[in-house]
Amino acid sequence: MTLTLTVSDEVRALAPGFTHVAVEAHDLVNGPSTRASAALLDDAALRLARRLDGRAPHEDPHMAAWRETYTAFGSKPSRTRNSAEALAKRALSDAGLPRVNVLVDLYNAISVAHLIPVGGEDLDRIQGAMSLVRAGGEEEFVTVAGGEEVVEHPDAGEVVWRDGAGVTCRRWNWRQGPRTRLTERTTSGVFLLESLAPMPVPDVVRAAGELAELLEKFSPGARIAVREPQPAR
């Protein structure tokens, strides 16, 4: 089954330069991080350092555009960074990038190497279609705090990804909920690569192709499709 992804007119008006590319994959094999997936994260950190050439991540034009967009919907970008900037800061720190599981390692490596937000969702846990919308404030976002499940509500006007059951990711790509995240039991997933102008669309497509190749390498025989880029209109 192909997942339906939509972007609301309100989000398109907020960020006219937004484009996303989806990579849908089935028959995946996941598990704990391996030496090979960890090596990809280390290589991505080196690629990032070469790309930035001494600059801080937020000084990159693509990250600056995300900061402007976060500010436009009421979030403070220095406190709630987009996922790519947050990962980039960790990649350049002494702590380095976290090792989560193979599939998460793969998409985190692509995010850091290309400095582009990338997210992964378990297709078997998504309910219905997924939409990128501006929240009304009453939507439910189920997360974990202090080891216990809690329900949060996004701010009115906040950009969120949601499905039929509620919010799956707050502040566009800042914090994913545990319900749909990729676990070691995941066999089907959708990976979203998200960009804003001034990043050229071919760069996003190239990053998606690299992710598809990694998924095939780590899950031989997986059924993988890279969708056409969906620019805001």
Side-chain angles (χ1 to χ4, degrees), residues 3 107 119-126 130 161 168-169 176-177 179-182 186 188-192:
L3 176 68
Y107 80 71
E121 305 281 355
D122 189 320
L123 280 170
D124 293 327
R125 295 172 179 267
I126 295 171
M130 288 186 67
W161 278 104
T168 58
C169 195
Q176 182 186 31
R179 173 170 60 88
T180 59
R181 69 177 47 155
L182 303 178
T186 297
S188 294
V190 61
F191 303 84
L192 286 173

Side-chain angles (χ1 to χ4, degrees), residues 60-70 196-198:
D60 177 86
H62 190 214
M63 295 298 94
W66 276 105
R67 284 196 165 212
E68 291 176 6
T69 301
Y70 268 49
L196 296 171

